Amino acid sequence: MTKVSVVVPTYRPGDGLDRVVSSLQQQTMPQRDFEVIFVDDGSPDNTWATLQHLRKNHDNVRIAQIENSGWPSRPRNIGIDMAEGEYILFMDHDDALFPDGLRASYEYAVEHESDVLSPKETKTNDIGWGITNYAKNIGNARPKQGIASLFPMMPHKFYRTSFLREHGIRFPEGRRMLWEDIYFNVAAYRNARVISILGNVPVYLWIETASNNSSSYGPRDAEYWEKLQSLFAYIAETLSGEEDAGAREAITAHVYNTRVVGRLWAELGRADGEWIEDAAGRVREILDRYVPERLDRRLPPVSKARAALIRDERWSLIEELRRLDAGWSAKSAVQDLEWRGGELAVTTKTEWTRPDSSPLLFDREGDRYLRSVSRTLREALPDDILDVTEALDRAQSSVLLRDRSNTLTWSAHSTTQTSLKKQDEIPQEAGRDPVRLVLESRARIDFRTVAGGKALTPDVWDVYSRSTSHGLQSIRRVVMAEPASVAIIDGHVAIAYRGKGGQLSLDIGEGLRSLVRSSVVDAESARVTRSGLSTVQIVMPIDGAHIDGEGSTHGRVVPVLGNQRLARAILSDRLARLALVGTLVRRLLTRPVRVRAEGGVAWIEGKVLAVPGRRKLAFRFGRRAEIAEFVLRTPLRGEPTFHRK
């Protein structure tokens, strides 16, 4: 039985197709259990020949070619017709899957009898993409989350094939069908009984490129507004029943906020009067037909104010509010960093500022807090739109970990305490009491479990802060002034360090930072003894690192024979690939060594090739070979000793 059909529409994919194929070949699900259906949309290059070659060399590949339709919709629909798998996953022709994506998604979908499964997705140019949507596994998110259970509304999900066919769920076809994925998912929601979320396994990697269709249209084009009206009409018709009223209002407000208010706001800075007049007419038509004023209450405070002025067509005030809203970002700095009980405890302080460091202010009025705006905006906007009291209570700053190699992002467990500090430096006007928002966040990072209950892969993980407040969002690197902090957890080395830009990173497995170059290795207290004529036995205590659990990490060591670059090369993977020569060199010059943790203490132990004289040592425990900050002195007679260089 075919478990999954991966449907991939292609049109001049270029090298991106190699990523698709490579990631599918690396799946943990056996190749016999899934099929890949490539449907080429009349590519004018050699794509079809490439697909024919793939079919010839892979038993689970099927292909089809059609005349150019202009959009991925028709190729996907043909894929639905061709599919023999129990579930269908739609992939774009230049993206990738993480290795365990198909297996984990299929098994979770079968376990919960899912009509649709929304798997964890990462986007290369958006650190926080879907981070709240994929926070945890949910067997059936539909009853509590409603239509938001399908957010983000991309087609990169698993759909039960019989479910799509039973309800005739198809992508709308045409040469340019903007937001075809929203159409498809609205129909899926309307008919689905079980919508599952898989958040603890990375599945889909969305690789943003210049050729993505979503970058080919915008609110300066008449087509944008015409297609947007069609989308609103489809939502109203498909979700017209009383049982779908909540979903209809939720998705209408979401599309209005993102596709109308958000996109319009982004264009205003470079708009002329003629375009504004045209856009105003198109927005008015959408509002009159599809977006009643009560839906504005569903918007976050920042968008509420914008929407109110847009409805009233107060364009001069809109420009003033646009300037007021521009440029805000949240800066998070480490206040305390310490390894505790096998976890990295990080306390950060976050404040919202402009690039010139001026703070984001609010006006305190009794026990309420209002957005701080000009007198003219205050007169134009009612207090209930400017009031952000409850929104500030919900303000958050959470820690994200981003894999530097593959852009995978995980969220650490974080708690936030909000406070509002009096801003004394600002001259007070009558009736105004300005305050600024300060967020103190405490995060616990256990690299053994933070990746959806699993360990972080050995790599460098950059630490970000995702800050949200009254509709604003900012994701920036966390800055720190503290020195590196080393931990050995279950025998594995983790180093929290300050990079060149003063930003916090976490090195798991010594990819860039090295235990032997840190001050925690106590070379002066090392035990060094001869072990035969050609070998020195070393035991070097580690002092100053946080130790939790027991275990060991194995590596190699080589004495530096004049050239540090040569020593690193001897320990490199490149030498290991030189078959017999590499094996002989390693056997002659390198010796095994390990980091060992036990009983609350840790040490480095192993053997080193005995070379007379004073020699630095090169160690490799992770991906990187490093020259240690100490020297091994091996006399012709007597016992060898360690010294700081």
Side-chain angles (χ1 to χ4, degrees):
M1 180 190 74
T2 302
K3 295 178 178 178
V4 180
S5 297
V6 182
V7 174
V8 187
T10 62
Y11 182 75
R12 296 194 303 181
D15 294 340
L17 189 61
D18 295 336
R19 286 194 295 267
V20 173
V21 174
S22 176
S23 71
L24 289 168
Q25 290 176 338
Q26 296 175 47
Q27 290 300 299
T28 57
M29 175 180 279
Q31 298 287 308
R32 66 178 180 274
D33 288 348
F34 69 94
E35 64 176 358
V36 186
I37 301 173
F38 293 101
V39 182
D40 185 57
D41 196 33
S43 296
D45 56 9
N46 66 341
T47 300
W48 181 243
T50 301
L51 296 180
Q52 289 176 310
H53 179 76
L54 287 172
R55 178 178 59 183
K56 180 180 178 181
N57 290 280
H58 299 278
D59 293 337
N60 63 342
V61 169
R62 299 166 63 200
I63 63 176
Q65 186 180 41
I66 62 174
E67 291 186 8
N68 180 250
S69 68
W71 212 249
S73 293
R74 179 158 173 72
R76 287 178 183 146
N77 288 338
I78 290 174
I80 294 173
D81 295 336
M82 294 175 62
E84 297 178 358
E86 186 177 354
Y87 282 87
I88 293 174
L89 166 67
F90 298 104
M91 279 189 75
D92 290 342
H93 65 194
D94 51 5
D95 291 338
L97 296 181
F98 289 95
D100 203 29
L102 292 184
R103 182 207 62 80
S105 298
Y106 174 78
E107 291 182 2
Y108 196 78
V110 169
E111 177 186 355
H112 295 279
E113 300 181 345
S114 310
D115 296 312
V116 186
L117 179 137
S118 187
K120 181 175 176 63
E121 180 175 30
T122 294
K123 192 175 181 182
T124 54
N125 69 341
D126 189 342
I127 296 164
W129 175 257
I131 199 70
T132 57
N133 305 96
Y134 309 121
K136 61 181 179 180
N137 291 357
I138 304 177
N140 188 7
R142 193 185 194 280
K144 289 188 176 180
Q145 294 190 16
I147 201 163
S149 59
L150 289 173
F151 289 177
M153 276 204 169
M154 309 307 299
H156 313 142
K157 307 181 191 298
F158 289 76
Y159 303 88
R160 188 160 49 81
T161 308
S162 60
F163 163 74
L164 296 181
R165 291 173 177 166
E166 176 186 353
H167 297 286
I169 299 172
R170 314 279 285 184
F171 289 92
E173 297 184 12
R175 294 210 65 80
R176 284 174 62 82
M177 288 305 304
L178 311 189
W179 306 298
E180 79 285 354
D181 42 7
I182 299 181
Y183 283 86
F184 192 84
N185 281 305
V186 166
Y189 174 81
R190 172 68 182 84
N191 294 284
R193 181 180 60 85
V194 178
I195 300 175
S196 302
I197 295 174
L198 179 64
N200 73 336
V201 177
V203 175
Y204 198 95
L205 178 58
W206 181 2
I207 299 172
E208 184 71 14
T209 67
S211 62
N212 288 144
N213 281 332
S214 58
S215 63
S216 66
Y217 55 86
R220 286 186 170 271
D221 305 317
E223 175 195 35
Y224 180 91
W225 299 103
E226 293 163 2
K227 294 294 177 63
L228 192 55
Q229 280 220 38
S230 298
L231 176 61
F232 278 114
Y234 179 82
I235 291 169
E237 179 183 355
T238 305
L239 301 176
S240 59
E242 186 61 32
E243 70 278 10
D244 293 321
R248 181 177 65 250
E249 293 201 348
I251 188 61
T252 298
H254 173 74
V255 172
Y256 174 56
N257 186 36
T258 56
R259 310 298 180 185
V260 179
V261 177
R263 293 298 298 271
L264 187 66
W265 214 254
E267 289 293 329
L268 288 175
R270 58 190 184 92
D272 55 36
E274 182 179 351
W275 180 83
I276 290 176
E277 184 178 352
D278 179 69
R282 295 181 182 278
V283 171
R284 170 55 55 195
E285 193 171 353
I286 288 174
L287 292 176
D288 291 344
R289 290 188 178 185
Y290 305 110
V291 190
E293 190 170 357
R294 71 175 184 275
L295 294 192
D296 290 2
R297 293 194 294 269
R298 288 178 171 267
L299 306 182
V302 164
S303 295
K304 279 183 186 177
R306 298 172 181 179
L309 295 179
I310 289 172
R311 281 188 184 275
D312 292 341
E313 298 184 22
R314 303 286 296 273
W315 296 104
S316 60
L317 291 182
I318 286 173
E319 177 57 24
E320 181 180 343
L321 183 61
R322 191 193 67 80
R323 290 195 300 269
L324 179 67
D325 285 349
W328 296 114
S329 66
K331 181 178 180 180
S332 298
V334 172
Q335 304 297 297
D336 183 64
L337 184 146
E338 182 183 6
W339 290 96
R340 300 175 193 157
E343 299 178 334
L344 182 64
V346 184
T347 302
T348 60
K349 176 183 176 183
T350 301
E351 295 196 53
W352 288 84
T353 62
R354 289 190 189 276
D356 63 2
S357 298
S358 58
L360 176 60
L361 297 178
F362 305 91
D363 290 336
R364 177 163 43 200
E365 295 190 1
D367 62 349
R368 309 300 294 176
Y369 296 93
L370 276 65
R371 295 187 62 190
S372 185
V373 298
S374 69
R375 189 183 302 275
T376 53
L377 283 170
R378 183 65 186 273
E379 292 171 353
L381 295 169
D383 283 358
D384 65 323
I385 287 179
L386 293 175
D387 193 320
V388 292
T389 306
E390 285 75 22
L392 295 182
D393 286 340
R394 296 191 299 270
Q396 291 187 342
S397 180
S398 57
V399 166
L400 306 180
L401 301 170
R402 178 83 156 178
D403 190 327
R404 195 175 289 182
S405 295
N406 63 18
T407 69
L408 179 61
T409 304
W410 295 101
S411 180
H413 176 74
S414 305
T415 58
T416 303
Q417 180 178 346
T418 65
S419 59
L420 290 152
K421 307 291 186 181
K422 189 175 181 63
Q423 190 68 15
D424 295 325
E425 299 85 355
I426 305 297
Q428 293 190 23
E429 299 177 11
R432 293 187 62 182
D433 184 9
V435 296
R436 71 183 193 278
L437 176 67
V438 179
L439 304 176
E440 184 178 88
S441 174
R442 291 180 171 86
R444 301 197 313 271
I445 304 171
D446 186 339
F447 74 84
R448 297 166 296 187
T449 60
V450 71
K454 302 179 182 65
L456 294 176
T457 54
D459 207 339
V460 176
W461 293 79
D462 295 321
V463 181
Y464 288 82
S465 175
R466 176 182 178 268
S467 303
T468 57
S469 176
H470 66 289
L472 296 178
Q473 174 179 273
S474 174
I475 299 179
R476 293 182 60 182
R477 290 290 302 276
V478 173
V479 298
M480 66 176 288
E482 287 79 359
S485 182
V486 181
I488 301 174
I489 314 294
D490 298 336
H492 300 285
V493 177
I495 303 175
Y497 70 94
R498 178 179 183 269
K500 291 181 179 178
Q503 298 160 333
L504 174 61
S505 295
L506 183 60
D507 191 333
I508 306 296
E510 300 182 84
L512 287 180
R513 299 291 165 138
S514 172
L515 177 71
V516 297
R517 286 187 65 84
S518 70
S519 59
V520 299
V521 178
D522 186 3
E524 301 295 340
S525 301
R527 299 197 307 272
V528 191
T529 56
R530 289 188 181 273
S531 178
L533 295 176
S534 63
T535 305
V536 173
Q537 182 79 34
I538 61 172
V539 179
M540 308 171 64
I542 296 171
D543 185 21
H546 173 76
I547 313 296
D548 188 81
E550 299 183 351
S552 59
T553 298
H554 295 267
R556 307 288 295 183
V557 61
V558 63
V560 178
L561 304 175
N563 190 311
Q564 295 187 12
R565 184 177 297 178
L566 175 62
R568 289 192 175 96
I570 291 171
L571 293 173
S572 70
D573 293 331
R574 188 167 58 253
L575 180 68
R577 289 194 291 266
L578 294 179
L580 181 60
V581 174
T583 301
L584 288 174
V585 171
R586 282 206 166 194
R587 209 170 265 179
L588 286 171
L589 300 180
T590 72
R591 296 292 185 271
V593 66
R594 66 176 179 172
V595 176
R596 176 70 180 162
E598 187 177 314
V601 296
W603 61 93
I604 297 174
E605 63 182 16
K607 297 179 179 181
V608 182
L609 179 66
V611 180
R614 296 170 59 87
R615 303 286 178 185
K616 295 179 181 179
L617 299 180
F619 290 82
R620 179 177 175 180
F621 291 106
R623 294 179 302 159
R624 182 183 177 91
E626 278 291 355
I627 310 300
E629 295 289 326
F630 40 80
V631 173
L632 175 64
R633 179 178 176 274
T634 307
L636 291 174
R637 296 180 180 179
E639 292 298 323
T641 55
F642 269 123
H643 302 277
R644 281 280 167 189
K645 69 174 183 178

